[in-house]
Amino acid sequence: MLESLTVVTDSLGYLLGGVLVTLELVSAALLLGFILGILLVVGQVYGPKPVRGFVAVYVWFFRGLPNLILLFLFYFVFLPTLPVFLIAVIVLGMRSAAYQSQIFRGVIENLSEGQTLAARSLGMTNWQTIKHIIIPQTLRLALPSWANEYPVLLTDSAVASAIGVTELLTRTGFRVAATGNAMALYLACAVIFILLNYGGMLLIQKIEERIRIPGFGNNECDQI
Amino acid sequence: MADGSVVGEAVTEALSGFIRTDPDFWLNVLLPAVGQGLLVTLLLILCVAPLGILIGILVAICRVYAPKPFSFLAKLYVIFFRGCPLLVLLFILYFGLPSIGILLEGFTAAVIGFVLCNSAYNSEYIRGALQSIKSGQMIAARSLGMTKKQAILHIIIPQAMRRAIPGVSNEFIYLIKYTSLAYFVTVVEMTMAAKMIAMHYLAFIEAFGLVALFYLALVSLATFGTNKLEKKLAIPGLTAVKVKDPPFRLKKGTKEPRKIK
């Protein structure tokens, strides 16, 4: 027991380096997924038919495939020359974009039609309406469901160790190989992941409270 | 037919730059290996899904109706198995447990890990559904002389499970996809089979492409099936299906709003 504890405390510095890589990976993927997700949803809801078809296929492809297969496909087939970290960001980001676009779509399609009509009757063009009326409301209303993307990406990021990204799990694996104490180290790894998970959730809740407009939206964010 | 063979040759020639075209490789090497992997994947899903739903229901009932210590334990269960990446959980089961004297086979470890993860997520959907059933239902059942147990079993659960179908079927689809993680604990399921063939024959596009197609087919099939199930079990008023047209679409020539004369 004591032995396990010392192994964990000795490895902690090394593992925290892995936490940094994991967080970089997750935040880069979240950002990429966010930007792509918005583009996708605008294409899917307002775009012409070919664009809608493309988005539908994109979402079907990235939501239908396991993370691991996507990583292998990009690592071995599509982008074999890129560094592994970049491949992981691209795969997790594009996958997240597919999920995020569907979160946004759910919100956009439930926005009151009056918003669009009012904006149009004020003389806004379609694009102005999307940019200034629809998107800002969508982002606020989508935040509670969007917040779920963070834990999903965090847990998915562990799979990136399959292509050799030296994030938390990979580093834990190295330490296990060096010390032979698998149980203690993997448990420590699990605890770190859970802490990251809940730390991030708290942060997102803070942001949510910060940008909430009183009287706008619903209290659905309180019950997950 | 002469025409057909000419076209066939042309297609073969065009493809041969990218992928292997010899039928021997496809029919005698790749398909049997991936097919075997598919069977293992299906077996994993078959073992995990019922257990995941059952334990999910139990945990959800514990969280909503059980006295404090039990509901707290259920909450801890959910926090741990939702927060911990599935891959880490598998490593704990497969590499960690032997150090305290429990040796699991890869397949067993994968099934246990998947069930723990799947049931934790399922329980959250089911808990939400349980709490969405109005308290009047319980009061009415009790006033008819049912015990609390009977009320939960015969009144609350049948309604709540209908509302939980979208979430639980989503989780089922996730399950199909994360069975690929069994690869890490040496289970030869589809991904592992494909990787082995790909490495041995240097046929990455073929192997991963084929497996990708299989996964897409499985997921599409599951989506179709669960949608059908949801519709079939739907009770008007209890589970409303809302379909709404998007507010408007951009069309050619409508970049500016129409001028009103």
Side-chain angles (χ1 to χ4, degrees), chain B residues 16-122:
Chain B
S16 61
F18 302 103
I19 60 173
R20 277 165 191 259
T21 45
D22 52 330
D24 188 49
F25 169 75
W26 282 92
L27 292 179
N28 294 333
V29 178
L30 191 56
L31 267 176
V34 173
Q36 289 259 311
L38 178 65
L39 285 184
V40 177
T41 296
L42 290 177
L43 191 63
L44 272 172
I45 296 171
L46 213 68
C47 290
V48 174
L51 277 175
I53 292 174
L54 202 71
I55 298 179
I57 294 177
L58 288 178
V59 172
I61 289 178
C62 261
R63 279 196 74 174
V64 179
Y65 296 111
K68 205 93 194 235
F70 293 105
S71 68
F72 182 70
L73 274 182
K75 195 175 175 186
L76 271 189
Y77 178 92
V78 173
I79 287 182
F80 187 82
F81 292 117
R82 278 184 73 197
C84 172
L86 183 53
L87 195 49
V88 179
L89 186 59
L90 288 181
F91 281 0
I92 291 176
L93 290 171
Y94 188 68
F95 297 115
L97 283 185
S99 63
I100 55 170
I102 305 171
L103 259 168
L104 292 179
E105 263 186 50
F107 189 84
T108 325
V111 169
I112 294 175
F114 294 160
V115 166
L116 290 174
C117 176
N118 191 254
S119 61
Y121 279 94
N122 275 339

Side-chain angles (χ1 to χ4, degrees), chain A residues 22-215:
Chain A
T22 294
L23 286 181
E24 278 169 20
L25 179 60
V26 170
S27 39
L30 261 182
L31 188 70
L32 178 65
F34 179 69
I35 295 168
L36 268 180
I38 288 186
L39 290 178
L40 284 174
V41 76
V42 170
Q44 186 171 26
V45 178
Y46 301 112
K49 209 157 195 184
V51 175
R52 288 190 333 245
F54 169 77
V55 175
V57 171
Y58 178 98
V59 170
W60 173 74
F61 184 81
F62 278 93
R63 292 212 307 182
L65 283 183
N67 213 355
L68 188 59
I69 291 286
L70 281 173
L71 281 169
F72 281 162
L73 271 178
F74 277 74
Y75 181 65
F76 288 116
V77 180
F78 297 147
L79 306 164
T81 50
L82 284 186
V84 282
F85 180 79
L86 214 56
I87 294 178
V89 168
I90 291 173
V91 168
L92 289 178
M94 288 179 82
R95 203 171 115 89
S96 179
Y99 284 100
Q100 289 187 34
S101 74
Q102 294 316 291
I103 294 173
F104 296 142
R105 190 180 64 126
V107 175
I108 286 188
E109 292 187 349
N110 277 319
L111 276 184
S112 152
E113 200 178 344
Q115 297 286 334
T116 317
L117 294 179
R120 295 298 299 277
S121 72
L122 284 173
M124 287 187 172
T125 62
N126 279 342
W127 282 115
Q128 283 172 330
T129 309
I130 294 173
K131 210 170 112 191
H132 299 295
I133 306 295
I134 304 290
I135 294 287
Q137 296 189 57
T138 303
L139 294 188
R140 278 206 176 75
L141 289 175
L143 191 59
S145 346
W146 186 83
N148 280 334
E149 262 319 280
Y150 169 72
V152 169
L153 265 179
L154 187 68
T155 45
D156 277 353
S157 75
V159 182
S161 65
I163 58 168
V165 180
T166 49
E167 42 72 72
L168 181 53
L169 183 58
T170 317
R171 290 200 176 202
T172 314
F174 290 160
R175 288 304 296 167
V176 169
T179 62
N181 200 331
M183 191 66 181
L185 282 167
Y186 281 129
L187 267 181
C189 175
V191 169
I192 295 176
F193 265 115
I194 291 169
L195 288 180
L196 285 179
N197 207 328
Y198 282 85
M201 300 270 261
L202 285 183
L203 192 74
I204 291 171
Q205 267 175 18
K206 278 268 178 314
I207 298 176
E208 229 166 86
E209 280 163 22
R210 194 74 185 268
I211 68 167
R212 181 175 294 164
I213 298 177

Side-chain angles (χ1 to χ4, degrees), chain A residues 6-30:
Chain A
T6 46
V7 167
V8 170
T9 45
D10 283 350
S11 313
L12 214 54
Y14 183 69
L15 294 188
L16 286 183
V19 170
L20 271 186
V21 180
T22 294
L23 286 181
E24 278 169 20
L25 179 60
V26 170
S27 39
L30 261 182

